[in-house]
Amino acid sequence: MNYTLHQLQVFLKVTQTLSITKAAEELHLTQPAVSIQLRNFQDQFDIPLTEIVGRQLFVTDFGKEIATAAEKIINEVHAINYKTLAHKGQLSGRLKISVVSTGKYVMPYFLADFLKRHEGVELLLDVTNKARVIDSLAANDTDFALVSVLPAKLDILKVELMENRLFLISDAKMRPAKQPAEKSILETLPLIYREQGSGTRYVMEQFLKGANLNVVKKMELSTNEAVKQAVIAGLGCSIMPIIGIKNELASGDLQIVPVKGLPIKSNWNLIWLRSKNLSPVAEAFLKYINDEKSTIIDEWFDWAL
């Protein structure tokens, strides 16, 4: 046996995602690189670790046992690194944060300086939709979550970071009226929705429901980037957080369509379970957020507020 730590990490991620593509994305590797590492790891065992049925990847019973062992080994390696840094008097450990997809335009700015100050902190940042973020929080798989829609069924604590504003957007060719349009304009436009489980979709649907509007749903897309490209291409309009369209507004690819009752306003919240036993790293990050959030907002987000 001559497997490497990198091969263990790749194999473990493949077993967690059950997908070469998803594992490559989360590890920031190419699909061929993941496939090669997986094959090299498999070559060291006479018993199959995974199998392909149709187009679906499955982990064998033996593979599941190896994955459990791999996770223990990786955790022990991290523990050694953390202990080494701790003996040097440095804050060390993992900080796990789950972020709704639009939050990727927000959270990095609240992390950058903290990570520069504490080089021993390892960040695990998972970007997904609202439903999965809440599932991760409920399962205690993350320290904090960044959401704009608070979960109704979890006992949480929170820190409000900044306001979240959502506008109706269109491509550059649409000519909006000089005065804000009535909400009924939304019944005449093809609207592009995010997927079920998205916080942006939830807020959008609540607004439409509250206004008693019957709209024509043109299409449903799974990411904000896909929605932006569809709007730019002239496939329809959408209601989106301004935080994610700064560059497109500046370039003129997208424009805000003034509508009465818009923007929809909510707040970006950093949340965690009330019962969560925060690690020293998590406690330090929470203190940093409370101390520095106003400075960060003034430096990076004054344009969006």
Side-chain angles (χ1 to χ4, degrees):
M1 294 290 179
N2 192 31
Y3 46 77
T4 66
L5 179 62
H6 182 55
Q7 288 173 347
L8 289 174
Q9 291 170 325
V10 169
F11 176 66
L12 180 60
K13 185 59 67 175
V14 168
T15 65
Q16 291 170 339
T17 61
L18 297 178
S19 167
I20 300 294
T21 301
K22 291 180 181 178
E25 290 175 353
E26 294 189 18
L27 292 169
H28 305 291
L29 298 172
T30 64
Q31 292 183 41
V34 170
S35 296
I36 290 170
Q37 292 299 325
L38 183 62
R39 183 171 64 249
N40 291 342
F41 187 62
Q42 172 66 79
D43 287 346
Q44 300 180 69
F45 300 90
D46 295 329
I47 304 173
L49 301 172
T50 62
E51 56 186 0
I52 303 294
V53 179
R55 294 186 177 182
Q56 179 64 49
L57 185 147
F58 293 90
V59 183
T60 65
D61 289 341
F62 179 66
K64 292 176 182 176
E65 293 182 14
I66 298 301
T68 299
E71 185 172 19
K72 291 180 180 178
I73 292 170
I74 292 169
N75 287 339
E76 286 299 321
V77 171
H78 286 309
I80 291 171
N81 294 336
Y82 299 151
K83 288 176 182 178
T84 301
L85 292 169
H87 276 288
K88 295 180 180 180
Q90 299 180 29
L91 182 68
S92 62
R94 282 184 174 181
L95 179 64
K96 300 176 70 175
I97 303 178
S98 189
V99 177
V100 295
S101 56
T102 310
K104 67 177 177 283
Y105 302 108
V106 176
M107 200 68 238
Y109 297 95
F110 288 90
L111 284 163
D113 194 50
F114 177 78
L115 295 175
K116 289 177 183 177
R117 295 182 190 182
H118 305 290
E119 296 182 357
V121 173
E122 178 187 2
L123 173 66
L124 298 179
L125 186 65
D126 180 36
V127 180
T128 184
N129 67 27
K130 169 180 167 283
R132 292 179 181 176
V133 166
I134 299 306
D135 287 345
S136 178
L137 189 69
N140 199 29
D141 288 335
T142 189
D143 295 313
F144 301 102
L146 181 69
V147 296
S148 60
V149 180
L150 295 174
K153 298 182 180 180
L154 292 180
D155 188 13
I156 61 166
L157 297 172
K158 67 182 176 73
V159 173
E160 288 188 3
L161 295 187
M162 55 183 281
E163 188 175 71
N164 182 34
R165 299 194 299 161
L166 294 89
F167 293 83
L168 178 67
I169 61 166
S170 75
D171 65 349
K173 296 179 181 179
M174 181 176 175
R175 294 184 178 180
K178 295 182 180 180
Q179 299 297 322
E182 298 294 333
K183 296 177 185 177
S184 57
I185 191 177
L186 293 167
E187 295 182 308
T188 69
L189 300 172
L191 288 184
I192 301 173
Y193 283 56
R194 281 288 306 278
E195 81 285 7
Q196 289 287 353
S198 158
T200 297
R201 176 173 179 144
Y202 173 82
V203 171
M204 178 176 170
E205 288 183 328
Q206 290 298 110
F207 174 79
L208 296 172
K209 181 179 178 181
N212 294 314
L213 297 175
N214 295 313
V215 302
V216 178
K217 183 168 69 172
K218 184 71 173 182
M219 63 178 64
E220 178 180 300
L221 300 175
S222 61
T223 68
N224 282 309
E225 292 302 317
V227 172
K228 284 195 294 187
Q229 293 305 316
V231 175
I232 290 171
L235 295 177
C237 298
S238 190
I239 294 177
M240 296 191 69
I242 193 173
I243 200 71
I245 55 175
K246 178 182 180 181
N247 292 336
E248 291 76 12
L249 291 175
S251 67
D253 290 330
L254 293 176
Q255 63 176 322
I256 292 173
V257 181
V259 176
K260 293 180 180 179
L262 292 178
I264 305 168
K265 297 181 180 180
S266 61
N267 286 297
W268 288 109
N269 296 281
L270 190 71
I271 65 174
W272 65 99
L273 293 176
R274 184 182 296 274
S275 59
K276 179 74 174 179
N277 185 18
L278 295 178
S279 68
V281 169
E283 290 278 11
F285 179 64
L286 191 57
K287 183 178 185 306
Y288 167 80
I289 288 295
N290 282 314
D291 290 346
E292 303 293 339
K293 67 175 184 177
S294 295
T295 300
I296 296 168
I297 292 169
D298 289 344
E299 180 177 359
W300 294 104
F301 299 108
D302 61 331
W303 65 272
L305 302 177

